[in-house]
Coordinates of all heavy atoms in Angstrom, one line a residue:
E160 N -15.5 -3.1 7.2 CA -16.7 -3.2 8.0 C -17.6 -2.1 7.9 O -18.9 -2.2 8.0 CB -16.3 -3.4 9.5 CG -15.6 -4.7 9.8 CD -14.9 -4.6 11.2 OE1 -15.1 -3.6 11.9 OE2 -14.2 -5.6 11.6
A161 N -17.1 -0.9 7.6 CA -17.9 0.3 7.5 C -18.6 0.4 6.1 O -19.4 1.3 5.9 CB -17.1 1.6 7.7
G162 N -18.2 -0.5 5.2 CA -19.0 -0.5 3.9 C -18.2 -0.1 2.7 O -18.8 0.0 1.6
A163 N -16.9 0.2 2.8 CA -16.2 0.6 1.6 C -16.0 -0.6 0.6 O -16.0 -1.8 1.0 CB -14.8 1.1 2.0
S164 N -15.8 -0.3 -0.6 CA -15.7 -1.3 -1.7 C -14.3 -1.6 -2.1 O -14.1 -2.6 -2.8 CB -16.5 -0.8 -2.9 OG -17.9 -0.7 -2.6
A165 N -13.3 -0.8 -1.7 CA -11.9 -1.1 -2.0 C -11.0 -0.2 -1.2 O -11.5 0.9 -0.7 CB -11.6 -0.8 -3.5
I166 N -9.8 -0.6 -1.0 CA -8.8 0.2 -0.2 C -7.6 0.4 -1.1 O -7.0 -0.6 -1.7 CB -8.4 -0.6 1.1 CG1 -9.6 -0.7 2.0 CG2 -7.3 0.2 1.8 CD1 -9.4 -1.7 3.1
F167 N -7.1 1.6 -1.1 CA -5.8 1.9 -1.8 C -4.8 2.3 -0.7 O -5.1 3.1 0.2 CB -6.0 3.1 -2.7 CG -7.0 2.9 -3.9 CD1 -8.3 2.9 -3.7 CD2 -6.5 2.6 -5.2 CE1 -9.2 2.7 -4.7 CE2 -7.3 2.4 -6.2 CZ -8.7 2.4 -6.0
I168 N -3.7 1.6 -0.7 CA -2.7 1.9 0.3 C -1.4 2.3 -0.3 O -0.7 1.5 -1.1 CB -2.6 0.7 1.3 CG1 -1.4 0.9 2.2 CG2 -2.4 -0.6 0.5 CD1 -1.3 0.0 3.4
H169 N -0.9 3.5 0.1 CA 0.4 3.9 -0.1 C 1.3 3.4 1.0 O 1.1 3.7 2.2 CB 0.5 5.4 -0.2 CG 1.8 6.0 -0.6 ND1 2.0 7.2 -1.1 CD2 3.1 5.4 -0.5 CE1 3.3 7.4 -1.4 NE2 3.9 6.4 -1.0
A170 N 2.3 2.5 0.6 CA 3.0 1.8 1.7 C 4.1 2.6 2.3 O 5.3 2.1 2.4 CB 3.5 0.5 1.1
R171 N 3.9 3.8 2.6 CA 4.8 4.7 3.4 C 4.0 5.3 4.6 O 2.7 5.4 4.5 CB 5.3 5.8 2.6 CG 6.4 5.5 1.6 CD 6.9 6.7 0.8 NE 8.1 6.4 0.0 CZ 8.0 6.0 -1.2 NH1 6.8 5.8 -1.8 NH2 9.1 5.8 -1.9
T172 N 4.7 5.7 5.6 CA 4.0 6.3 6.7 C 3.9 7.8 6.4 O 4.5 8.4 5.5 CB 4.8 6.2 8.0 OG1 6.1 6.9 7.8 CG2 5.1 4.7 8.4
R173 N 3.1 8.5 7.2 CA 2.9 9.9 7.1 C 4.3 10.6 7.3 O 4.6 11.6 6.6 CB 1.9 10.4 8.0 CG 1.5 11.9 7.8 CD 2.4 12.8 8.7 NE 2.4 14.2 8.2 CZ 3.1 15.2 8.6 NH1 3.9 15.0 9.7 NH2 3.0 16.4 8.1
A174 N 5.0 10.1 8.3 CA 6.3 10.7 8.6 C 7.3 10.6 7.5 O 8.1 11.5 7.3 CB 6.9 10.0 9.9
Q175 N 7.2 9.6 6.7 CA 8.1 9.4 5.5 C 7.8 10.4 4.4 O 8.6 10.8 3.6 CB 7.9 8.0 4.9 CG 8.7 6.9 5.6 CD 8.5 5.6 4.9 OE1 7.5 4.9 5.1 NE2 9.5 5.2 4.1
G176 N 6.5 10.8 4.3 CA 6.1 11.7 3.2 C 6.3 10.9 1.9 O 5.7 9.8 1.7
Y177 N 7.1 11.4 1.0 CA 7.4 10.7 -0.2 C 8.8 10.3 -0.3 O 9.4 9.9 -1.4 CB 7.0 11.6 -1.4 CG 5.6 12.0 -1.4 CD1 5.2 13.2 -1.0 CD2 4.6 11.1 -1.9 CE1 3.8 13.6 -0.9 CE2 3.3 11.4 -1.8 CZ 2.9 12.7 -1.4 OH 1.6 13.0 -1.4
S178 N 9.5 10.2 0.9 CA 10.9 9.8 0.9 C 11.1 8.4 1.3 O 10.1 7.7 1.7 CB 11.7 10.7 1.9 OG 11.2 10.6 3.2
G179 N 12.3 7.9 1.3 CA 12.5 6.5 1.7 C 11.9 5.5 0.8 O 11.5 5.8 -0.3
K180 N 11.8 4.3 1.3 CA 11.3 3.2 0.5 C 10.0 2.7 1.0 O 9.7 2.7 2.2 CB 12.3 2.0 0.6 CG 12.0 0.9 -0.4 CD 13.1 -0.2 -0.3 CE 12.7 -1.3 -1.3 NZ 13.8 -2.4 -1.2
A181 N 9.1 2.5 0.1 CA 7.7 1.9 0.4 C 7.9 0.5 0.9 O 8.6 -0.3 0.3 CB 6.8 2.0 -0.8
N182 N 7.2 0.2 2.0 CA 7.2 -1.2 2.6 C 6.1 -2.0 2.0 O 5.0 -2.0 2.6 CB 7.2 -1.1 4.1 CG 7.3 -2.4 4.8 OD1 7.4 -3.5 4.1 ND2 7.4 -2.4 6.1
W183 N 6.4 -2.8 1.0 CA 5.3 -3.5 0.3 C 4.8 -4.7 1.2 O 3.7 -5.2 1.0 CB 5.8 -4.1 -1.0 CG 6.1 -3.1 -2.0 CD1 5.9 -1.7 -1.9 CD2 6.5 -3.3 -3.4 NE1 6.2 -1.1 -3.1 CE2 6.6 -2.1 -4.0 CE3 6.9 -4.5 -4.1 CZ2 7.0 -1.9 -5.3 CZ3 7.3 -4.3 -5.4 CH2 7.4 -3.1 -6.0
N184 N 5.5 -5.0 2.3 CA 5.0 -6.1 3.2 C 3.7 -5.6 3.9 O 2.8 -6.5 4.1 CB 6.1 -6.4 4.3 CG 7.3 -7.1 3.7 OD1 7.2 -7.8 2.7 ND2 8.4 -6.9 4.3
I185 N 3.6 -4.3 4.1 CA 2.4 -3.8 4.7 C 1.2 -4.0 3.7 O 0.1 -4.3 4.2 CB 2.5 -2.3 5.0 CG1 3.7 -2.0 5.9 CG2 1.2 -1.7 5.5 CD1 3.5 -2.6 7.3
I186 N 1.4 -3.9 2.4 CA 0.3 -4.1 1.4 C -0.1 -5.5 1.5 O -1.3 -5.8 1.6 CB 0.8 -3.8 0.0 CG1 1.2 -2.3 -0.1 CG2 -0.3 -4.1 -1.0 CD1 1.9 -2.0 -1.5
K187 N 0.8 -6.5 1.6 CA 0.4 -7.9 1.7 C -0.4 -8.2 3.0 O -1.3 -8.9 3.0 CB 1.7 -8.8 1.7 CG 1.4 -10.3 1.7 CD 2.6 -11.1 1.6 CE 2.3 -12.6 1.3 NZ 1.1 -13.1 2.1
E188 N 0.0 -7.5 4.1 CA -0.7 -7.7 5.3 C -2.1 -7.2 5.2 O -3.1 -7.9 5.7 CB 0.0 -7.0 6.5 CG 1.4 -7.6 6.9 CD 2.1 -6.8 7.9 OE1 1.6 -5.9 8.4 OE2 3.3 -7.1 8.1
V189 N -2.3 -6.1 4.5 CA -3.7 -5.6 4.3 C -4.5 -6.5 3.4 O -5.6 -6.8 3.7 CB -3.6 -4.2 3.8 CG1 -5.0 -3.7 3.4 CG2 -3.0 -3.2 4.8
V190 N -3.8 -7.0 2.3 CA -4.5 -7.9 1.4 C -5.0 -9.1 2.2 O -6.1 -9.6 2.0 CB -3.5 -8.4 0.3 CG1 -4.1 -9.5 -0.5 CG2 -3.3 -7.2 -0.6
D191 N -4.2 -9.7 3.1 CA -4.5 -10.9 3.9 C -5.6 -10.6 4.9 O -6.1 -11.6 5.5 CB -3.3 -11.4 4.5 CG -2.3 -12.0 3.5 OD1 -2.7 -12.2 2.3 OD2 -1.1 -12.1 3.9
S192 N -5.8 -9.4 5.3 CA -6.7 -9.1 6.4 C -8.1 -8.7 6.0 O -9.0 -8.7 6.8 CB -6.1 -7.9 7.2 OG -6.2 -6.7 6.5
V193 N -8.4 -8.4 4.7 CA -9.7 -8.0 4.2 C -10.1 -8.8 3.0 O -9.3 -9.4 2.4 CB -9.7 -6.5 3.9 CG1 -9.4 -5.6 5.2 CG2 -8.8 -6.1 2.8
G194 N -11.4 -8.7 2.7 CA -12.0 -9.4 1.6 C -12.3 -8.5 0.4 O -12.6 -9.0 -0.7
I195 N -12.2 -7.2 0.5 CA -12.4 -6.3 -0.6 C -11.1 -6.0 -1.3 O -10.0 -6.3 -0.8 CB -13.0 -4.9 -0.1 CG1 -12.1 -4.3 1.0 CG2 -14.4 -5.2 0.4 CD1 -12.6 -2.9 1.4
P196 N -11.2 -5.6 -2.6 CA -9.9 -5.3 -3.3 C -9.0 -4.3 -2.6 O -9.4 -3.3 -2.1 CB -10.4 -4.7 -4.6 CG -11.8 -5.2 -4.8 CD -12.4 -5.3 -3.4
V197 N -7.7 -4.7 -2.7 CA -6.6 -3.8 -2.1 C -5.7 -3.4 -3.3 O -5.3 -4.3 -4.0 CB -5.8 -4.5 -1.0 CG1 -4.7 -3.6 -0.6 CG2 -6.7 -4.9 0.2
I198 N -5.5 -2.1 -3.5 CA -4.7 -1.6 -4.6 C -3.4 -1.0 -4.0 O -3.5 -0.2 -3.1 CB -5.4 -0.6 -5.4 CG1 -6.7 -1.2 -6.0 CG2 -4.5 0.0 -6.5 CD1 -7.9 -1.3 -5.1
G199 N -2.2 -1.5 -4.4 CA -1.0 -1.1 -3.8 C -0.4 0.1 -4.5 O -0.5 0.3 -5.7
N200 N 0.3 0.9 -3.8 CA 0.8 2.2 -4.3 C 2.2 2.4 -3.6 O 2.3 2.2 -2.4 CB -0.2 3.3 -3.9 CG 0.3 4.7 -4.4 OD1 0.0 5.7 -3.7 ND2 1.1 4.8 -5.4
G201 N 3.2 2.9 -4.4 CA 4.5 3.2 -3.8 C 5.6 2.6 -4.5 O 5.7 1.3 -4.6
D202 N 6.5 3.4 -5.2 CA 7.7 2.9 -5.8 C 7.4 2.1 -7.1 O 8.2 1.2 -7.4 CB 8.6 2.1 -4.9 CG 9.1 3.0 -3.7 OD1 9.0 4.2 -3.9 OD2 9.6 2.4 -2.8
I203 N 6.4 2.4 -7.8 CA 6.2 1.8 -9.1 C 6.8 2.7 -10.2 O 6.2 3.7 -10.6 CB 4.7 1.5 -9.4 CG1 4.0 0.7 -8.4 CG2 4.5 0.9 -10.8 CD1 4.5 -0.7 -8.3
L204 N 8.0 2.3 -10.6 CA 8.7 3.2 -11.6 C 8.9 2.5 -12.9 O 9.5 3.0 -13.8 CB 10.0 3.6 -11.0 CG 9.9 4.4 -9.7 CD1 11.3 4.7 -9.1 CD2 9.1 5.7 -9.9
S205 N 8.5 1.2 -13.0 CA 8.7 0.4 -14.2 C 7.7 -0.7 -14.3 O 7.0 -1.0 -13.3 CB 10.1 -0.2 -14.3 OG 10.2 -1.2 -13.3
Y206 N 7.5 -1.3 -15.5 CA 6.6 -2.4 -15.6 C 7.1 -3.6 -14.7 O 6.3 -4.4 -14.2 CB 6.5 -2.9 -17.1 CG 7.8 -3.5 -17.6 CD1 7.9 -4.9 -17.6 CD2 8.8 -2.8 -18.1 CE1 9.0 -5.5 -18.1 CE2 10.0 -3.4 -18.6 CZ 10.1 -4.8 -18.6 OH 11.2 -5.4 -19.1

């Protein structure tokens, strides 16, 4: 709503830091909630 052209989301909380597992379900929820591109981040270690 504020005018950004895309959102990048690391699917971990601040409390997790870089530990634990990224919750990709959050990425899907964000994709379904906005009309601008959403780029997912977290636990991409292979093709």
Side-chain angles (χ1 to χ4, degrees):
E160 291 166 2
S164 296
I166 296 169
F167 297 78
I168 173 167
H169 184 157
R171 285 182 172 87
T172 64
R173 187 269 162 184
Q175 280 181 280
Y177 298 100
S178 65
K180 189 176 180 181
N182 183 356
W183 291 1
N184 291 330
I185 302 294
I186 299 174
K187 185 178 190 319
E188 290 174 11
V189 172
V190 169
D191 292 341
S192 71
V193 298
I195 57 177
V197 175
I198 299 83
N200 178 211
D202 294 346
I203 303 292
L204 301 176
S205 71
Y206 71 94

